[in-house]
Amino acid sequence: MGKYRGFTFEEKQERVRDFRPIDDAFFEVLADDIGFCQEMLRILLDDETLIVDEVIVQSSTKNIYGRSVRLDALCSLKNRGKCNVEVQRSDSDDHLRRVRFNASSITVRDSETKQKFKETEDVIVVYISQFDIFKGNRAIYHVDSVIRETGEAVADGLERVFVNTQVKDNTTISEYLDCFLRKEVNNCKFPEFTKRMNYLKHQEGGLQTVCEVMERYEKKAVAEANVKAIKKMISEYHATRESILEDYTEEEYSLALNELAEEKNN
């Protein structure tokens, strides 16, 4: 890819120095590794026998789910269906509905025509946040479907696990999650986490991978800013297509028109 390819090894190290696992761009490359994801899920799901067969991240060529479904890391588990891992730093969304939407999208996309509902694949969502969503002073929460009248849990194939980096309770899960806030990880309890961090921060191949993802995120941010500017030019200044295309691309112009149309319909 572009601008980072000509950087020296030291320049690349400096560029990625401040990245932490909780950061979206860095987690994407961090999680693109079966060993890392398997260790993570064995800890967070408390299952030492769990096996990860495959991992799909947002930018993966294997991502058939589309950009509207958040795939920080979608893991295929042996005998346990799918597990979608999401990381979230900002507390500015309806997190429960976001989890519901993504889990539903994965379920529908993976369902076969004429498939019986009992054959629908199980979905687990692990939601890693930088804040305590439920404010219960716990590092981990399991959200179940429950019969209101009896309090009995219902197994409907959806498992939701919310964990956070904020609460420190001296458990292994809390110690593991604290690593998500660190720029460097060197913990013998978490060998796959340590190995993956060392590769991405201190080896040429890993550094280049991180830089390429950084460049893609930067281009996306520029494109979003351009679309926002075009929308303002159209709605406030009634700019013509010809004048807009003097400074912006056809694709950006089309995206702006589509967003304005959606906003009008809503």
Side-chain angles (χ1 to χ4, degrees), residues 37-266:
C37 287
Q38 182 166 284
E39 179 180 80
M40 172 177 61
L41 294 180
R42 284 183 172 186
I43 293 169
L44 299 182
L45 298 178
D46 192 23
D47 182 356
E48 279 299 318
T49 66
L50 180 147
I51 301 295
V52 174
D53 290 324
E54 182 184 39
V55 180
I56 297 174
V57 296
Q58 190 75 6
S59 63
S60 173
T61 56
K62 298 174 290 186
N63 180 6
I64 59 175
Y65 297 85
R67 293 290 183 253
S68 61
V69 182
R70 183 59 177 262
L71 295 176
D72 286 339
L74 181 65
C75 304
S76 295
L77 310 181
K78 187 175 182 179
N79 302 322
R80 288 195 66 178
K82 295 282 197 311
C83 180
N84 185 34
V85 183
E86 303 180 32
V87 295
Q88 180 62 256
R89 291 176 54 190
S90 173
D91 191 9
S92 61
D93 201 353
D94 187 324
H95 308 286
L96 286 169
R97 290 178 186 273
R98 173 174 160 179
V99 166
R100 189 186 78 181
F101 174 83
N102 287 341
S104 299
S105 299
I106 292 167
T107 300
V108 171
R109 182 62 183 81
D110 285 349
S111 297
E112 301 284 343
T113 304
K114 298 183 179 180
Q115 181 183 53
K116 293 184 180 298
F117 285 112
K118 66 181 180 180
E119 299 169 345
T120 300
E121 194 170 38
D122 290 349
V123 175
I124 305 169
V125 178
V126 174
Y127 201 83
I128 303 171
S129 62
Q130 200 171 328
F131 46 89
D132 182 359
I133 290 176
F134 301 108
K135 298 179 173 57
N137 199 35
R138 296 175 182 271
I140 184 167
Y141 301 89
H142 297 84
V143 177
D144 300 320
S145 297
V146 176
I147 299 174
R148 185 182 303 175
E149 288 74 15
T150 66
E152 180 184 359
V154 176
D156 59 0
L158 174 61
E159 183 176 347
R160 291 165 288 177
V161 180
F162 293 81
V163 296
N164 67 83
T165 63
Q166 179 178 333
V167 177
K168 315 298 182 186
D169 59 8
N170 298 315
T171 61
T172 298
I173 285 178
S174 179
E175 182 179 356
Y176 181 82
L177 291 167
D178 186 66
C179 294
F180 277 72
L181 302 177
R182 305 299 167 189
K183 298 175 183 178
E184 299 285 349
V185 174
N186 185 16
N187 190 320
C188 61
K189 289 185 181 180
F190 316 127
E192 294 294 336
F193 203 154
T194 298
K195 181 175 72 174
R196 186 66 175 164
M197 285 287 286
N198 179 67
Y199 172 70
L200 294 174
K201 291 270 190 166
H202 303 291
Q203 296 183 38
E204 177 62 40
L207 287 168
Q208 183 59 37
T209 298
V210 178
C211 287
E212 288 174 358
V213 171
M214 284 174 60
E215 183 171 3
R216 178 167 54 79
Y217 270 71
E218 289 168 3
K219 287 181 177 178
K220 180 182 177 183
V222 170
E224 288 175 349
N226 287 348
V227 169
K228 184 177 180 180
I230 294 170
K231 287 166 62 180
K232 185 173 183 178
M233 290 173 68
I234 295 172
S235 59
E236 295 187 16
Y237 304 111
H238 309 291
T240 63
R241 175 180 179 276
E242 290 72 19
S243 63
I244 291 172
L245 292 181
E246 290 178 3
D247 298 304
Y248 300 99
T249 67
E250 183 74 52
E251 182 180 7
E252 291 167 343
Y253 176 72
S254 296
L255 285 171
L257 287 180
N258 289 337
E259 288 189 13
L260 286 170
E262 288 178 7
E263 290 170 7
K264 184 178 181 180
N265 291 332
N266 293 333

